[in-house]
Amino acid sequence: MKIIKLNGSPYDANAYLVDDSILIDVGMDARSVITELEGYIQIGDLETIILTHCHYDHTGGAGDVARASGAKIAIHKDDAPLLGNAKASASIMFGRSTPSITPDILLKGGEFFGELEIIHTPGHTPGCICLYNAHSKVLFSGDTVFQDGSFGRTDLYGGSTQQLIESIRKLTLLDVSIMYPGHGDIVEEDAGEQIKMSLMMASQFLDM
């Protein structure tokens, strides 16, 4: 499995190019992402853009990248209606208007893109997802969990403390060697243990 992390601005979400054909999240700066992509692939070779959730720092550039590449946009069905809502997409927090994004694929959870399985992990948003490759033991965790036991916030539109805890609990059942989060560093050591730490921390601080 070939994975390339694309870096936008420091406050942007991580984007990951997988096997030269799938882009997981986009970030806000489409021009920067397109330039980086063209350093690795022909832009027309991009087939699918999978958004882990509706927040603007993950989705802002998706429409422009899709138009430049012809790639289809996939997002969970529960977050699709929130893309155009300034509050629900958090674009208002970045002082931006909501982008024009029309999803081509509405996810429910359980779908596969190659060896990547879509796992519905609500809590940060209603339609948050993670992506898991059982063969490679790789998890793309979006904003559900991060390194060092961190976890996604639940105080934004559609957030749910109890759902987030249950979603993290679901992730602890996976055999994860490497975790690629929506922000911060790639976790290449003790990824499974760090997810368990996220569950412990979330249970202590959120379920009070």
Side-chain angles (χ1 to χ4, degrees):
M1 191 177 194
K2 181 181 178 183
I3 303 169
I4 298 169
K5 180 182 177 182
L6 306 179
N7 296 310
S9 62
Y11 56 88
D12 220 341
N14 296 334
Y16 300 101
L17 176 63
V18 180
D19 292 336
D20 293 338
S21 62
I22 295 173
L23 185 63
I24 299 175
D25 285 335
V26 179
M28 296 181 280
D29 188 350
R31 283 180 294 181
S32 174
V33 170
I34 290 170
T35 297
E36 284 201 76
L37 284 171
E38 290 176 334
Y40 297 106
I41 62 172
Q42 295 291 323
I43 192 67
D45 291 340
L46 189 67
E47 297 175 0
T48 312
I49 298 168
I50 303 175
L51 302 175
T52 60
H53 61 291
C54 64
H55 285 162
Y56 182 80
D57 55 331
H58 294 253
T59 67
D64 287 340
V65 174
R67 284 185 281 273
S69 64
K72 295 185 181 299
I73 297 175
I75 190 169
H76 193 275
K77 63 181 181 63
D78 292 343
D79 267 21
L82 309 182
L83 286 169
N85 182 307
K87 182 178 179 181
S89 69
S91 66
I92 194 169
M93 294 176 60
F94 297 92
R96 308 284 184 89
S97 58
T98 54
S100 175
I101 302 173
T102 303
D104 303 285
I105 303 168
L106 298 181
L107 305 169
K108 296 180 180 180
E111 300 91 344
F112 281 84
F113 291 80
E115 292 188 316
L116 282 173
E117 180 184 3
I118 303 296
I119 301 173
H120 184 205
T121 51
H124 182 59
T125 68
C128 236
I129 63 166
C130 295
L131 300 96
Y132 179 60
N133 183 318
H135 177 73
S136 300
K137 300 180 181 180
V138 164
L139 178 71
F140 296 91
S141 62
D143 280 7
T144 300
V145 289
F146 309 101
Q147 67 272 34
D148 300 325
S150 297
F151 49 87
R153 59 192 294 182
T154 60
D155 59 332
L156 299 177
Y157 184 97
S160 167
T161 294
Q162 195 55 46
Q163 284 188 328
L164 182 68
I165 291 171
E166 291 307 312
S167 291
I168 299 173
R169 194 184 313 280
K170 185 189 302 184
L171 297 181
T172 65
L173 303 178
L174 304 176
D175 185 3
V176 180
S177 294
I178 305 177
M179 183 170 72
Y180 294 86
H183 298 273
D185 298 327
I186 298 167
V187 179
E188 300 186 81
E189 294 184 7
D190 300 321
E193 292 303 312
Q194 292 199 35
I195 295 170
K196 291 176 183 176
M197 188 187 305
S198 293
L199 176 60
M200 180 184 70
M201 299 290 281
S203 298
Q204 288 180 350
F205 289 100
L206 296 179
D207 196 19
M208 295 178 66

